[in-house]
Amino acid sequence: MAVNRWLATGNFFTSYREEQRIFRTHLDRSVHVVFLAAAFAWPLLFEAGNKYMLVIDNILIAIIAVLGLNLLTGFAGLISIGHAAFVGVGAYTVASFARVLGDSHVIITHAWPLVLLVAGGVGAVVGAFVGLPALRLKHLYLAIATLSFQMIFQWVINFMTFFNQGQTISVGRAVWLTGRVSREGHYLFWYYVILVIVVLFGFGVRNLLRTRYGRSLVAVRDNDRAADAMGMHPGLTKVYAFALAGFFAGVAGALHAYLYRGAGFESFTLHHSITYLAMAIVGGLGTLVGSFFGPAAIMILDLQVESLSEYAGTVFSGAMNLATALRPLTFGIVIVLFLMFEPRGIANWWRIARNYLKLWPFRY
């Protein structure tokens, strides 16, 4: 039966290969192309200040980190409460190069793509090492093991003189084909760099999930004994999931260090680990689009609540404690509401909207 790949209502798959393709219809592919073209073109059409560009850059960096966390927690079913420490490993890898070679060394400024890969590799090695307890531990016990890594990371950064005892270690400004990136174009330059990495990682994760390595993550999450009976190695799969999460987090941390031109301890605390986990939950665990929706929703909400807190502080001058507590209070309420009423996250809303459009106007 001939199928219209532009307006296909329902599923018309005749083979497993058709079901696993990235874009189900031509319309899906066209929408993605238009969206990517708009994402690359809008800074050239509309002038945005450094303040807004910094916010967008932070959202994109968080998307990279949450992509790794979603592979670990959403697809492999392994809870991690130390993801910010993995991000910090990537940032302090760049800071270590700057500390040893100098913040303006040619490797830092000119070979920054290689440094990003090295930071991701270091994050993957550390992630695999931290994931070794997953060979024997699971559920809450594994979560406590990742929490202990977060505490160890904080202690090492705070007390080692090599890492400047948690104080900011400067990183030089990057150099591109047109020369050293100017102060005015710094955030715009890194916007395009981070956006390209987000697109590559997004397609990489989508393709990974189509392979036996990605399906093994889901199999181990659902039932590790059944996965073992089918020929998979649950322990190695869990360690491999930690290594993947560490790689994504390491690249995100390196981008953070380049964006802020330095690495400081205050950006990789336990609070940030909880925030990353909240982004994955709000976006939708075990979904690719949830890794995009979650960071955007949480960061935009945080900015709005921050503005509301400042306004409340000026209006109710005697209730400063209320204004200060508004941000963590709102953050906690949002997480509880999503866990109670929408455990599948914002990605479920996207799924419902897509299914509605897919079934309308009921073509058969």
Side-chain angles (χ1 to χ4, degrees):
M1 179 180 66
V3 178
N4 186 347
R5 287 285 303 278
W6 284 98
L7 294 173
T9 301
N11 296 327
F12 299 95
F13 304 126
T14 58
S15 66
Y16 183 74
R17 182 177 181 181
E18 289 183 359
E19 188 178 5
Q20 287 299 308
R21 60 190 174 210
I22 296 179
F23 300 108
R24 303 294 177 88
T25 64
H26 294 315
L27 183 61
D28 287 342
R29 182 186 294 108
S30 301
V31 169
H32 280 81
V33 169
V34 171
F35 178 77
L36 289 178
F40 280 97
W42 77 262
L44 304 177
L45 303 176
F46 305 97
E47 184 177 355
N50 287 337
K51 175 183 177 182
Y52 296 102
M53 290 304 301
L54 178 61
V55 172
I56 296 174
D57 290 347
N58 281 324
I59 292 176
L60 293 177
I61 291 175
I63 287 174
I64 296 175
V66 175
L67 277 171
L69 182 61
N70 221 338
L71 283 173
L72 179 64
T73 302
F75 290 99
L78 306 171
I79 302 177
S80 174
I81 316 181
H83 199 64
F86 294 125
V87 179
V89 167
Y92 274 96
T93 299
V94 179
S96 298
F97 279 108
R99 187 81 167 174
V100 175
L101 304 175
D103 59 353
S104 297
H105 193 272
V106 64
I107 293 181
I108 302 294
T109 58
H110 291 70
W112 53 266
L114 179 61
V115 175
L116 294 179
L117 290 177
V118 171
V122 173
V125 172
V126 174
F129 178 77
V130 175
L132 289 178
L135 296 171
R136 301 295 297 272
L137 302 176
K138 61 172 59 176
H139 306 313
L140 181 62
Y141 303 100
L142 182 60
I144 297 301
T146 59
L147 177 61
S148 66
F149 170 66
Q150 176 73 45
M151 298 295 104
I152 293 172
F153 171 81
Q154 294 183 193
W155 184 89
V156 169
I157 299 300
N158 275 328
F159 289 95
M160 285 191 66
T161 56
F162 178 78
F163 296 113
N164 204 17
Q165 294 183 331
Q167 301 301 314
T168 302
I169 301 176
S170 298
V171 175
R173 197 179 297 276
V175 174
W176 187 232
L177 299 177
T178 56
R180 188 177 297 275
V181 178
S182 64
R183 184 185 301 271
E184 294 76 15
H186 177 78
Y187 296 118
L188 181 61
F189 168 77
W190 284 109
Y191 166 78
Y192 281 111
V193 172
I194 301 170
L195 181 60
V196 169
I197 295 176
V198 167
V199 173
L200 293 177
F201 280 6
F203 279 105
V205 171
R206 180 66 182 92
N207 279 282
L208 173 69
L209 298 177
R210 300 162 62 203
T211 65
R212 63 189 182 95
Y213 302 103
R215 293 194 294 270
S216 66
L217 297 176
V218 179
V220 169
R221 177 197 66 188
D222 293 341
N223 193 321
D224 53 356
R225 293 185 178 180
D228 191 14
M230 289 187 291
M232 305 174 191
H233 195 298
L236 292 182
T237 302
K238 294 175 182 179
V239 173
Y240 152 70
F242 268 99
L244 275 178
F247 177 79
F248 280 76
V251 174
L255 290 170
H256 180 279
Y258 273 110
L259 180 66
Y260 284 92
R261 296 193 58 202
F265 159 76
E266 64 279 356
S267 299
F268 314 107
T269 60
L270 179 61
H271 168 74
H272 292 85
S273 291
I274 301 299
T275 302
Y276 286 132
L277 189 58
M279 290 176 180
I281 293 174
V282 170
L285 286 172
T287 61
L288 179 58
V289 294
S291 302
F292 294 83
F293 289 139
I298 290 295
M299 287 199 168
I300 292 174
L301 175 66
D302 188 64
L303 289 175
Q304 297 301 320
V305 173
E306 183 179 0
S307 302
L308 182 60
S309 300
E310 293 177 356
Y311 175 76
T314 57
V315 175
F316 306 103
S317 57
M320 290 299 294
N321 291 334
L322 176 62
T324 304
L326 192 58
R327 291 179 65 183
L329 176 65
T330 306
F331 181 81
I333 290 176
V334 167
I335 301 303
V336 171
L337 290 178
F338 266 93
L339 289 175
M340 291 178 59
F341 300 105
E342 192 52 272
R344 296 184 180 181
I346 300 176
N348 192 46
W349 303 348
W350 174 254
R351 181 188 63 83
I352 293 173
R354 286 195 63 185
N355 286 342
Y356 175 81
L357 296 176
K358 185 177 181 180
L359 295 176
W360 183 88
F362 301 105
R363 303 174 189 273
Y364 292 98

